[in-house]
Amino acid sequence: MRKRAAVLLVAAVLLSGCAVFAPSCGYGQLKRYETSFLDVFDTVTYVKGYALSEEAFRKDADAVHETLVKYHRLYDIYHTYDGIANLKTVNDRAGTEPVRVDREILDLLLFARSVSEETGGAVDVTLGAVLSLWHEAREYAAAHPGDAYVPSGEALREAARHTGFGLLEIDEEAGTVFLTDPDARLDVGALAKGFATARAAEQAPAGMLLSVGGNVAATGPKPDGTPWVVGVVDPDGGEGYTHTLEIGRTSVVTSGDYQRYFTAGGIRYHHIIDPDTGYPSRRWKAVTVIAGDSGIGDALSTALFILGREAGEKLLLLHGAEGMWVGQDGTEYFSDGFPAYIRDQ
Ligand code: ADP
Ligand code: MG
C-alpha cells in the first residue's frame, strides 16, 4: 500500500517535472504567451504564461477569464444579470428581504467581515451609503468637469448612520444575506477584485502571471525558475517605475491617491475614504502590499492606505505580508521583509 503511494508520488513528480520544470523533458520548448481582456472588474486584465503551444496557453487563459467573469457578475453592485442574484440584488433588497446567494458571495462577505474586524472598521464593505455619494460626485465631475461638487458634510454624516456590519445579516445555513436598513448599501471595491484574482490564481497552472487592473498575482516563478518582475508605479505620475519587484508565488497590490479621483476647487478627491472622517484619506500617497493571497493583499493595501504605520505593520504581521508606504513628501517606508523583493539595480 505504502509502496504504491510512493510510486504514485514519483509518477506525479515526474509528470509535473516533464510538463514544466526539467530541461531534459523539454521546458526549453515552452514559449511565452500573453493575452488581455477588458470585460471584468471595469479594468484591463493581463494573463501571461509559458506553454508548449498557443492552444494550451489559450485553454488556461480562458479558464482564468471564465472564473473572473463569474466573480465579476456576482460581485457587481451596478448591474444585474439574468438568472443571477448578485450584490446589486442584495443592495436593491435592502430593508426588504434576505436574498439567497451563491457560496462565492457568502465567502466574500465573511472575508469582508473579518477584514472589518481586523482593521477596526477602516476597511468596511458596508460603507456603501457613504461611498456612493463619492462615486456620484466623481461621475458627475467626469461628465461636468467645470461644475464638480464635493458631498456635503451633512450628507456624509447622514449616510454614515446607515453603515456597519451590524446592518448585514449573513446566514450561512440558509445561504442568505440581508441588509436590514433600507438605506444601507454594500460596496466591495476595496477587496473584491483581489479576492476574485486569488480564486482565479488558485485554479491556474503554476508559473502564470495574472494582472487584474494592477492587482498582480503570480502562481509561481517562470518555468526556468526565474521570478516574475513587477513594477511599482510612481504615485506622482513619473515615467517608469520607482521599484521593480521580483516575485515567485505571491501577489502584489497597490492602492494610491492617483488611481481614481476628481478635482473640485483645485483639490483632488480620490477614491479611498477614511470612515472616521467620511473624506478621502490624506495620510499616504500610495501603499504597496506583497501578500500570498491577493484578496488579503487587496484588503490590506486599502487598509494600510488609511491607517498609520504601526497599525499597518500589525496587519502585515498578522498575515505574513510585506508593505511599502509612500508619504505625502515622497518618503518611502518599508516593512522588514519588503526590500528582499526589490530587484538590485
Ligand atoms: P482599486 O480598486 O482602485 O485598486 P482599492 O482596492 O484601494 O483601489 O479600493 C478602493 C475602492 O474601495 C473604492 O473605489 C471604494 O469603492 C472602496 N472603498 C473606499 N474606501 C473604503 C473603505 N474605507 N472601506 C471599504 N471600501 C472602501
Ligand atoms: Mg484594495
Side-chain angles (χ1 to χ4, degrees), residues 17-89:
C18 271
V20 186
F21 292 114
S24 57
C25 293
Y27 92 68
Q29 294 156 20
L30 291 172
K31 276 205 211 117
R32 184 180 170 124
Y33 295 97
E34 180 175 336
T35 186
S36 62
F37 29 87
L38 295 164
D39 57 351
V40 290
F41 295 102
D42 305 317
T43 187
V44 193
T45 296
Y46 295 98
V47 179
K48 302 178 188 190
Y50 290 77
L52 289 169
S53 67
E54 185 168 357
E55 200 188 350
F57 172 75
R58 173 93 18 221
K59 208 168 140 239
D60 293 334
D62 282 351
V64 166
H65 182 224
E66 213 173 288
T67 300
L68 290 173
V69 167
K70 178 179 82 178
Y71 281 93
H72 166 75
R73 290 184 176 170
L74 289 172
Y75 298 164
D76 197 333
I77 61 169
Y78 299 112
H79 306 95
T80 46
Y81 302 90
D82 278 350
I84 311 180
N86 67 3
L87 289 181
K88 178 167 181 351
T89 320

Side-chain angles (χ1 to χ4, degrees), residues 93-108:
R93 308 248 176 100
T96 310
E97 59 183 350
V99 180
R100 246 195 101 78
V101 292
D102 286 356
R103 185 71 230 177
E104 288 85 349
I105 289 186
L106 293 172
D107 286 344
L108 179 80

Side-chain angles (χ1 to χ4, degrees), residues 13-345:
V13 168
L14 280 180
L15 274 177
S16 63
C18 271
V20 186
F21 292 114
S24 57
C25 293
Y27 92 68
Q29 294 156 20
L30 291 172
K31 276 205 211 117
R32 184 180 170 124
Y33 295 97
E34 180 175 336
T35 186
S36 62
F37 29 87
L38 295 164
D39 57 351
V40 290
F41 295 102
D42 305 317
T43 187
V44 193
T45 296
Y46 295 98
V47 179
K48 302 178 188 190
Y50 290 77
L52 289 169
S53 67
E54 185 168 357
E55 200 188 350
F57 172 75
R58 173 93 18 221
K59 208 168 140 239
D60 293 334
D62 282 351
V64 166
H65 182 224
E66 213 173 288
T67 300
L68 290 173
V69 167
K70 178 179 82 178
Y71 281 93
H72 166 75
R73 290 184 176 170
L74 289 172
Y75 298 164
D76 197 333
I77 61 169
Y78 299 112
H79 306 95
T80 46
Y81 302 90
D82 278 350
I84 311 180
N86 67 3
L87 289 181
K88 178 167 181 351
T89 320
V90 175
N91 278 344
D92 289 347
R93 308 248 176 100
T96 310
E97 59 183 350
V99 180
R100 246 195 101 78
V101 292
D102 286 356
R103 185 71 230 177
E104 288 85 349
I105 289 186
L106 293 172
D107 286 344
L108 179 80
L109 296 178
L110 291 168
F111 170 62
R113 187 164 69 187
S114 70
V115 167
S116 171
E117 283 162 9
E118 284 172 9
T119 62
V123 174
D124 188 328
V125 301
T126 71
L127 287 168
V130 170
L131 298 174
S132 66
L133 293 177
W134 287 104
H135 183 82
E136 283 158 22
R138 203 166 53 240
E139 300 262 292
Y140 186 84
H144 311 89
D147 193 26
Y149 73 93
V150 177
S152 74
E154 200 192 330
L156 290 168
R157 274 190 299 278
E158 161 56 24
R161 292 179 47 236
H162 307 282
T163 64
F165 262 89
L167 304 177
L168 180 67
E169 287 176 1
I170 306 173
D171 186 336
E172 275 195 86
E173 231 161 76
T176 59
V177 290
F178 182 27
L179 280 169
T180 53
D181 178 332
D183 294 319
R185 294 291 179 273
L186 296 172
D187 179 328
V188 294
L191 43 73
K193 192 166 28 125
F195 190 88
T197 304
R199 305 291 80 79
E202 276 166 1
Q203 295 164 15
M208 261 200 161
L209 189 84
L210 318 182
S211 168
V212 185
N215 205 311
V216 173
T219 63
K222 297 174 190 171
D224 65 0
T226 59
W228 290 98
V229 177
V230 179
V232 178
V233 301
D234 180 355
D236 292 324
E239 289 267 310
Y241 299 116
T242 57
H243 297 284
T244 44
L245 309 177
E246 293 189 329
I247 59 165
R249 187 165 179 275
T250 194
S251 154
V252 181
V253 187
T254 295
S255 286
D257 64 8
Y258 57 91
Q259 287 170 326
R260 249 182 302 154
Y261 60 86
F262 67 95
T263 306
I267 298 173
R268 193 196 266 196
Y269 294 89
H270 66 76
H271 70 314
I272 302 174
I273 305 302
D274 182 344
D276 284 346
T277 64
Y279 286 86
S281 180
R282 303 278 180 209
R283 204 188 286 265
W284 307 105
K285 267 190 199 173
V287 302
T288 295
V289 170
I290 303 175
D293 179 290
S294 119
I296 289 168
D298 196 1
L300 290 190
S301 77
T302 309
L304 263 61
F305 187 88
I306 294 168
L307 297 168
R309 270 247 347 255
E310 211 175 300
E313 292 270 13
K314 275 192 193 147
L315 281 171
L316 292 173
L317 270 179
L318 185 67
H319 290 284
E322 301 295 340
M324 167 188 155
W325 296 257
V326 184
Q328 289 299 346
D329 65 356
T331 310
E332 295 178 342
Y333 306 88
F334 301 94
S335 66
D336 285 347
F338 194 98
Y341 288 92
I342 298 176
R343 183 165 69 174
D344 299 329
Q345 297 304 315

